[in-house]
Amino acid sequence: MSPEAEILDRRILAFIASAGASEPFDALAADLFAFQVANNRVYRAYCEGLDTRDIDTWRDIPAVWPVSWRMTELCSFDPADAVATFLSSGTTAGPGRDDAGTQGRSRHLFDTLDLYRAALAGPFAEAMAPEPDRRFPVLVLMPSPDEQPDSSLGFMMGEAIARFGLPEASGFFSLDGRLLPERFALAVERTSAIGQPLLLASTAFGWVTLLDWLGERRLPLPAGSRIMETGGYKGRTREWSRADLYAALSQSFAVRENAIVSEYGMCELSSQFYGMPGPSEGPRFSGPPWTRVLAIDPETQQPVPPGEPSLLRVIDLANRGSCIAVQTEDLVVVHDEQTFELLGRAPSAPPKGCSLTAEDLHLSSPEAR
Amino acid sequence: MTSPLRTKPRDIAAGAQRVAARARPIASASEALDIADLLAEVAHRWLEPADPIRRRALDKLETFSRQMWADAIDAMFSPITRGSLRTFVETELADISLRPPRVIGHVLARNAPAPAVQSIFCGLLTGSGQIVKAPLYDRRFAGLLVDSIAAVSPRLRKRMRILCWLGSLEELNAALAVACDTIVAFGHGETMESWRRIIASANPACQLVAHGPRTSVEIVELAGETNRWTELAERIAFDVAMYEQQGCLSPQQVFLCCEEASDGHDVSRCRGFAAVLGDALEAKARRWRPPERSIWSLTAIRRAREAHRMGRIADPSHGPWLPDELCGPANRFDWTLLSTLGPSPQLGPGGRTVFLTRVASAAAAVEAIEPLAPFIQGVAVEARDATVAQILRDRLHIPYVCKPGELQRPPFGWRNDGVPPLRSLCEQSCKKTGPRFREPGGDELNSCRAGHFGPTGGGGPIGAPVAGSNRIGPGGSAAPPTPAGPGPAPAGFFGVLGVTPAKLM
């Protein structure tokens, strides 16, 4: 790792440890952006014509779009030095996408995971720990990091178990990439019998799988338990509305809906956002102090007025090795610099009269049946 | 028109009964000719600047800009003359046993007025009753079309009932299937699948003529002088921008045939033409103001632009050859040009987005589009070699082959999906095998079910356009019957879209 990178990492770790009190956000963001432009060929070319000294605020930092993460290696170090690579699930790059150049999944390379670990711990504990300063059972219905070493979500949950989980009562429930709802349910039942609050975690897809398996069966959780839900079921099974999913989880596990916490993360990010169900359909997600959010007009790439739905852009200081500014295709309403409400994700293709789309073409293939 | 939110199955049944009572299915071609004369008068009135219905249309229609509507109306109705209609009727109805349905249902697609005109006019020519299901968010044009028919012939008007409901309301769709002998449907693949399923369950005796989504391309030679480029680019821009690129005759890709493409390095000629085409699209954007696009449409365009830009950054030497400044206004999506790396067929995000593909010759372009041929509705060709158009018609079975600038102005009666539009209605008969179409005194041409889009059902081949149908286009000629289907996608086909051949097939 270069000396510049080491210095930046120390500053970022201090910023995370102090919850943003160590220095002004804009100063660290500007220095990080300048470092990335200097060390990341792709990002430098992307920002061509922009003088990094002119960046006064994080709002002015250019963000790269998801398609860029699929086409290039956006890293500010020699890719040969990567210690980990996380890949996107593929739900954002399916055959329905009619953009040129979307070959497969996004790749996020890391030359160290120290920042990732530091960024995940505090917010996770705050959102998920039933009781502070005490280990708790963490049962995860998704593939483990051993099974899917390229999954950022798997890595995150592995770290969460290592840091917060009760070792003898925590684990992943998946085999060869296949979820094991029956074993998960058995573990929930047995662990609940101890009486200690527990944390259950899965993707929305995993929860739907479990709920289908459970049918009418109930698995009441001890008081104080939490349920974590994260995205990842779009296009893979029948889609539930979030409200329906939460109601079903609440009923099956006999918990109040405010015990269910949504996690928002992306392979392209190093930090996570957590949200409780809000008054409307989408939960309101909050990010840690080392993140900022904006809603961007996709045509002008300029911020939209507060309260207006548009596409989420995230500034993540923990993304030192890649790109500080990540443009998403998620439709949100941004409430303040660290809070947004998730409304949906860009569909594969906008409707177009009787003109053929890639999605139509996919539909016509036998595999789509 | 009943309020779309209040339409009930009984409204559809009652409407069908009413139009069936007034229907007079034709027993001879001469009866259709009488109707043709009335429809020619309808078309003539639409072309009159002072016609009250035309003026009302330009005042009220919203989907496109006022000027685009004015030009679209001209493009739609100018080919409909007394002479062209009579020739069409005589050709289509020659040597067949007329068995028109009592009631025809027309399921119109949003933002696609031209197919609506042809479908409804052909329905009226059969003398049958017509139930028109107008698109929920785009129903005014259908209403005005009916008004214009009423102005010329109240008798014809009484054979029509226009209704509107949300396409996902299957109970109402099933009611239409029950009420009709034939349904002519336009729309996307899922919509066609849905109609096929509903008809099979609600009324298997009902014939479905399904027009699924298609795309179009242009092939232009850039050899020789550049002094014609401006005029050529203007014609291409017309094809692209008309109907906001939402029709099956809207080109999404233009093949630039230029010998320089064969060495892979000298792109100056293609770049030069791209600049001229950009100017033409910009001028078109001023004449036809683009509508406010949805955030999803804008996102799709941005995604495509970013992919193009990142492709150039990732591989400056061999990436996309069109520089960013020629791809369109930076922060305005009135139009977009994107260059492709190889000759693979491309489907874009719409919003006047065109993929430019360099090929060495028109023959190379034909070879490139062949894998997509079953999904191609039209090809506009500007090439010195006349055999290119011939190959497109005869070997690739492209339903409509024309010159640039004519894609959006097909002659009345052109064979959408290769289906003879009037004969497919008048010859509806055997439900198990589907009717067979014959050229006058000639060979059997195709099954009407072959116009179906999609992989299953109906007895037609997967997504197959009608094989060997009679092409109506400049210089069109009857093609021999050939079984056609999409076939397996070759390696590289849509590779850049993230659709691997394995996924396709």
Side-chain angles (χ1 to χ4, degrees):
Chain A
M1 188 184 297
S2 69
E4 295 90 342
E6 283 184 16
I7 292 168
L8 267 174
D9 279 10
R10 278 200 293 275
R11 287 175 64 188
I12 296 165
L13 287 168
F15 195 92
I16 291 172
S18 66
S22 61
E23 61 179 302
F25 186 95
D26 274 334
L28 185 48
D31 288 350
L32 177 53
F33 173 60
F35 166 82
Q36 291 178 340
V37 167
N39 292 279
N40 183 333
R41 182 193 74 79
V42 173
Y43 198 30
R44 181 166 59 251
Y46 191 80
C47 298
E48 190 182 353
L50 187 69
D51 189 335
T52 56
R53 290 169 300 188
D54 293 341
I55 297 293
D56 296 325
T57 163
W58 56 271
R59 290 183 176 81
D60 296 338
I61 297 175
V64 290
W65 287 70
V67 65
S68 305
W69 296 79
R70 296 199 278 276
M71 297 174 68
T72 62
E73 284 173 341
L74 276 161
C75 54
S76 307
F77 54 88
D78 183 347
D81 295 335
V83 298
T85 301
F86 293 145
L87 304 181
S88 66
S89 63
T91 55
T92 56
R97 298 285 175 180
D98 48 7
D99 49 319
T102 57
Q103 300 185 44
R105 303 153 71 182
S106 292
R107 288 171 303 174
H108 192 172
L109 278 64
F110 293 83
D111 59 348
T112 172
L113 288 166
D114 289 350
L115 293 176
Y116 201 107
R117 288 191 178 96
L120 80 83
F124 183 88
E126 192 176 328
M128 299 297 178
E131 296 167 294
D133 304 325
R134 187 179 174 191
R135 286 183 172 265
F136 48 94
V138 182
L139 303 178
V140 183
L141 184 61
M142 63 177 78
S144 70
D146 289 339
E147 270 198 277
Q148 287 188 354
D150 57 13
S151 162
S152 57
L153 182 59
F155 174 80
M156 179 190 130
M157 291 313 301
E159 287 295 310
I161 287 177
R163 190 143 181 170
F164 305 106
L166 204 57
E168 64 275 18
S170 298
F172 290 85
F173 293 84
S174 163
L175 184 65
D176 297 331
R178 189 173 58 84
L179 301 181
L180 302 172
E182 65 287 1
R183 291 195 194 176
F184 181 82
L186 187 63
V188 170
E189 208 162 42
R190 286 181 180 168
T191 312
S192 296
I194 302 170
Q196 185 182 348
L198 58 157
L199 169 65
L200 309 183
S202 188
T203 60
F205 167 73
W207 288 128
V208 171
T209 303
L210 179 78
L211 291 168
D212 280 348
W213 185 84
L214 284 176
E216 297 299 310
R217 197 174 152 198
R218 300 282 176 270
L219 294 170
L221 301 181
S225 296
R226 300 275 172 89
I227 294 174
M228 183 185 118
E229 169 272 326
T230 186
Y233 67 148
K234 190 172 172 62
R236 298 185 64 179
T237 182
R238 71 179 193 278
E239 290 186 27
W240 291 34
S241 73
R242 197 178 289 268
D244 288 346
L245 178 63
Y246 279 28
L249 287 172
S250 170
Q251 194 171 20
S252 293
F253 292 110
V255 294
R256 300 172 116 173
E257 286 197 20
N258 62 11
I260 305 171
V261 180
S262 272
E263 186 261 359
Y264 178 91
M266 291 173 70
C267 145
E268 295 89 342
L269 294 174
S270 300
S271 302
Q272 296 81 37
F273 294 72
Y274 294 95
M276 303 290 189
S280 56
E281 170 78 2
R284 192 173 280 210
F285 289 94
S286 293
W290 51 94
T291 61
R292 294 289 185 272
V293 294
L294 277 176
I296 293 292
D297 180 329
E299 186 173 24
T300 64
Q301 303 213 69
Q302 294 300 309
V304 300
E308 190 174 305
S310 208
L311 302 185
L312 176 69
R313 175 176 292 181
V314 180
I315 308 296
D316 184 358
L317 294 182
N319 260 11
R320 195 268 302 148
S322 53
C323 196
I324 180 176
V326 176
Q327 181 62 53
T328 79
E329 294 185 5
D330 288 327
L331 184 68
V332 299
V333 170
V334 165
H335 293 287
D336 58 47
E337 292 180 349
Q338 286 168 250
T339 311
F340 64 87
E341 190 177 335
L342 184 63
L343 304 179
R345 172 168 292 178
S348 52
K352 291 195 294 175
C354 54
S355 179
L356 186 71
T357 64
E359 198 156 58
D360 287 315
L361 202 64
H362 176 65
L363 184 72
S364 74
S365 72
E367 196 212 37
R369 299 292 95 202
Chain B
M1 197 185 323
T2 308
S3 165
L5 299 178
R6 292 185 188 156
T7 302
K8 299 281 188 296
R10 65 171 178 272
D11 298 324
I12 298 168
Q17 275 185 351
R18 197 155 55 235
V19 298
R22 293 174 165 101
R24 296 288 180 273
I26 56 171
S28 67
S30 63
E31 292 177 37
L33 290 175
D34 293 340
I35 300 170
D37 292 346
L38 295 172
L39 296 178
E41 175 59 22
V42 172
H44 175 74
R45 292 192 183 187
W46 273 97
L47 295 171
E48 287 292 314
D51 179 70
I53 291 175
R54 179 188 170 105
R55 292 171 64 174
R56 189 144 47 100
L58 297 183
D59 286 342
K60 300 281 185 191
L61 293 175
E62 291 173 344
T63 319
F64 311 119
S65 71
R66 181 185 174 93
Q67 189 58 51
M68 181 181 284
W69 269 116
D71 294 344
I73 287 168
D74 291 345
M76 279 187 284
F77 291 102
S78 57
I80 306 175
T81 62
R82 187 166 183 269
S84 70
L85 274 174
R86 284 184 156 258
T87 304
F88 165 70
V89 167
E90 285 164 352
T91 306
E92 288 253 323
L93 300 187
D95 293 337
I96 61 167
S97 302
L98 291 175
R99 275 186 287 184
R102 196 82 190 165
V103 179
I104 299 170
H106 303 268
V107 179
L108 307 184
R110 190 178 175 184
N111 301 337
V117 173
Q118 174 153 311
S119 185
I120 292 170
F121 276 27
C122 283
L124 289 169
L125 285 169
T126 67
S128 311
Q130 319 290 318
I131 299 284
V132 179
K133 178 190 175 301
L136 184 58
Y137 298 105
D138 181 22
R139 56 186 187 274
R140 280 189 172 153
F141 178 72
L144 288 165
L145 188 63
V146 172
D147 288 350
S148 69
I149 292 163
V152 171
S153 170
R155 180 172 55 89
L156 279 185
R157 168 65 182 92
K158 286 177 182 168
R159 293 179 189 167
M160 305 179 70
R161 175 84 170 123
I162 183 164
L163 291 164
C164 187
W165 64 88
L166 197 62
S168 59
L169 296 176
E170 296 208 348
E171 185 190 9
L172 297 174
N173 294 344
L176 184 69
V178 168
C180 296
D181 305 304
T182 294
I183 288 178
V184 185
F186 299 87
H188 274 272
E190 279 182 59
T191 308
M192 296 304 106
E193 271 304 299
S194 169
W195 277 106
R196 188 170 292 117
R197 185 171 39 77
I198 287 167
I199 286 172
S201 137
N203 180 14
C206 177
Q207 172 181 281
L208 174 65
V209 181
H211 294 293
R214 299 281 187 118
T215 188
S216 292
V217 303
E218 309 225 3
I219 299 172
V220 295
E221 280 181 352
L222 297 183
E225 295 299 312
T226 59
N227 55 4
R228 286 192 56 246
W229 280 8
T230 301
E231 185 259 339
L232 176 61
E234 281 169 1
R235 286 191 278 134
I236 294 172
F238 181 96
D239 290 339
V240 170
M242 177 57 84
Y243 307 125
E244 293 301 332
Q245 210 181 16
Q246 295 180 108
C248 57
L249 289 172
S250 299
Q252 300 191 49
Q253 186 171 19
V254 177
F255 288 87
L256 304 177
C257 312
C258 184
E259 284 186 2
E260 71 181 23
S262 58
D263 67 21
H265 296 295
D266 181 6
V267 296
S268 56
R269 204 168 177 81
C270 290
R271 278 186 184 156
F273 184 75
V276 176
L277 181 56
D279 289 344
L281 286 164
E282 183 64 30
K284 203 53 79 183
R286 284 195 296 272
R287 180 175 174 83
W288 297 338
R289 283 305 309 158
E292 191 172 333
R293 304 195 199 286
S294 72
I295 190 157
W296 303 133
S297 175
L298 295 173
T299 301
I301 296 168
R302 173 61 69 188
R303 193 188 300 139
R305 283 192 178 201
E306 290 291 317
H308 188 269
R309 184 180 174 197
M310 195 50 71
R312 284 177 58 77
I313 288 173
D315 188 351
S317 304
H318 303 98
W321 49 268
L322 197 62
D324 292 346
E325 60 269 24
L326 293 183
C327 290
N331 295 320
R332 187 162 47 83
F333 290 170
D334 287 353
W335 55 273
T336 298
L337 294 178
L338 303 170
S339 56
T340 66
L341 287 178
S344 302
Q346 299 285 339
L347 297 174
R352 309 189 190 184
T353 299
V354 182
F355 287 100
L356 298 178
T357 301
R358 293 189 309 136
V359 287
S361 64
V366 171
E367 192 179 328
I369 67 170
E370 190 162 9
L372 193 63
F375 299 97
I376 294 179
Q377 187 78 277
V379 179
V381 186
E382 182 77 18
R384 284 165 300 176
D385 183 356
T387 61
V388 174
Q390 199 66 34
I391 290 168
L392 288 165
R393 292 186 195 103
D394 296 351
R395 201 178 85 206
L396 270 58
H397 308 298
I398 304 299
Y400 178 49
V401 179
C402 62
K403 292 279 187 187
E406 294 175 2
L407 267 178
Q408 304 286 9
R409 297 185 250 239
F412 183 81
W414 74 286
R415 294 186 170 184
N416 190 332
D417 289 347
V419 176
L422 180 56
R423 200 180 334 170
S424 65
L425 299 175
C426 289
E427 217 181 20
Q428 58 108 27
S429 55
C430 173
K431 299 303 174 194
K432 286 184 180 173
T433 61
R436 313 297 294 184
F437 302 124
R438 288 176 184 280
E439 280 297 275
D443 290 327
E444 185 173 84
L445 286 177
N446 54 264
S447 159
C448 78
R449 297 235 175 219
H452 296 176
F453 177 88
T456 57
I462 299 169
V466 175
S469 57
N470 188 20
R471 298 336 190 242
I472 298 177
S477 63
T482 312
F493 179 57
F494 281 101
V496 293
L497 299 178
V499 186
T500 64
K503 281 179 181 171
L504 272 170
M505 303 312 295

